Amino acid sequence: MSRKVDSVKDINDSKETWRLVVRIMDVWSIVNDKGIEHLEMIVMDSLGDRIQVLIRHDHLLKWKEVIKENMTCIINNGSVYNNDFQWKVCDHSKKIVFLGGTTMKAIELQNIPPKGYFFKDFGEILQGKCKTDRLEDIIGAVSEINHIQSNTPGKKVVVSVVLKDLKGNCINCNLWEIYGSKFLAYYNDPKNNGAIIILLTHAMVKDGQVSNAWSGSKLLINEDIPEIQDCMSKLPTNEQKEKPTQSAKSLSNWSGGSQYSPVERCSSKAPNPEKAYECSCGQKIEQPIPRYKIEIYVSNGESKYRFVFWDSECAAILGMTAEFMHNSMVEPTFSQASVWKLCDDEAFVKEIENDYIVENNQSKTEYAKLVPNKENLETSTQTLSASGENDPESIILMTPAKDVVIADKGEEVDFEASGATQLSGTKPSKKLKIEPSS
């Protein structure tokens, strides 16, 4: 006579002779700082109840090649303990630990729901209705990329994006290390156009933001699965065709020169912009990608300030890359002018157009003079986020508030060494050179 099948919800620490008929919903490997590996997984029974399972390193070889995600099986015996994981992936108060006498038999079962996800509502995240020790599944469309930090000495790769759900709620999602690199690889691939739907499992939630866990999270980008395809189909038609853009505050970590390796995590300068070479990081580069910076002088009263913008900022603000602008200005046919203000306000633009006076009956495609109003134009400035000083262990990317510092006259900042625009209230401020207006 076969043993009675137990329900997951009834599991307690009163015995070790449990018999479970379940589907393996998720399985992942964890390696600690000593290099010791163990497995964790989530199993679910026909009633939809789930419990977390741990397989210790001394039983790893026995089970690692046997356990497959989405398989259905019968599990016999296992120790039951309180679920004291720092980060929990289900609500069950207990966890199961495989014993030496634990057995598992694969069997085809149709009465257990297929592998699925348990998405956390963005509205609840924004309202703080989340357990502080709980990992959640999330899904949303990328509406904006607001920060990219490359892998440089002392800093880890992190990409911060804004995710929007089908109700219009928006949250920040921070993708660290391999997760950020995977997103950048997809985003930078010219073959990938249109909306980007992200599905992130086991996401950590804090202060209305989410980020991947160091172990166990899975990142799916525009995968051909029902959940992502359903989310994509429910987006407005115009949004389905629009690729998310980088915001003006997203910063590049490139500095100096104009020819760089396209290797995602390396900012080294190419030795020769015309020839293939092997990068210092070990990758072979067939064709270096040109990247430029643009310097803009902003006038404020009798003083001028210099701002430096790289490719991503130029594309976000001006709608064209710095390389395109450079190529179009190789043989300039106009005189050099200073930028007084960068603004897209229609009333302001109309006012400037009215002040445009053509001299000596020249056509408007030739030299023109910009005549200011009686009142001085005020400089419109925006603090640029150059975060990266956060503690990686805290997971959530929190950019400190920045202070705009007015410099003393006669002192100049080394823009090449400082990364051009990295002004932060969390570090001693560098001073800008203030030059008298011409």
Side-chain angles (χ1 to χ4, degrees), residues 355-364 366-369:
D355 285 338
Y356 231 91
I357 300 175
V358 179
E359 294 181 331
N360 301 326
N361 296 322
Q362 292 175 323
S363 69
K364 289 188 178 182
E366 297 177 312
Y367 301 109
K369 180 179 180 181

Side-chain angles (χ1 to χ4, degrees), residues 147-149 152-153 155 249 251-255 306-308 310 313 383-390 399-400 402-403 405 413-432:
H147 180 85
I148 296 176
Q149 177 176 286
T152 55
K155 296 182 180 180
K249 64 182 180 180
L251 294 179
S252 166
N253 285 327
W254 295 313
S255 62
R306 181 173 66 165
F307 291 84
V308 180
W310 298 90
E313 288 75 58
T383 301
L384 300 181
S385 169
S387 67
E389 302 97 352
N390 58 294
T399 304
K402 302 298 186 294
D403 299 325
V405 181
V413 60
D414 183 351
F415 284 90
E416 300 296 335
S418 66
T421 54
Q422 190 162 341
L423 302 179
S424 172
T426 61
K427 293 183 178 180
S429 60
K430 296 180 181 294
K431 296 183 177 180
L432 303 174

Side-chain angles (χ1 to χ4, degrees), residues 187-254:
Y187 182 80
N188 292 327
D189 190 333
K191 298 191 299 293
N192 297 325
N193 295 307
I196 296 179
I197 304 295
I198 278 183
L199 191 160
L200 181 65
T201 69
H202 302 177
M204 308 177 77
V205 182
K206 183 179 180 182
D207 299 330
Q209 303 184 62
V210 299
S211 61
N212 60 275
W214 295 121
S215 298
S217 288
K218 292 181 174 63
L219 175 63
L220 306 180
I221 305 175
N222 282 6
E223 298 277 347
D224 187 17
I225 62 173
E227 292 81 1
I228 289 181
Q229 295 303 315
D230 180 63
C231 183
M232 179 72 78
S233 67
K234 292 179 180 178
L235 290 177
T237 304
N238 62 316
E239 292 185 15
Q240 294 181 26
K241 300 177 181 179
E242 293 179 358
K243 188 172 185 178
T245 59
Q246 286 185 244
S247 67
K249 64 182 180 180
S250 64
L251 294 179
S252 166
N253 285 327
W254 295 313

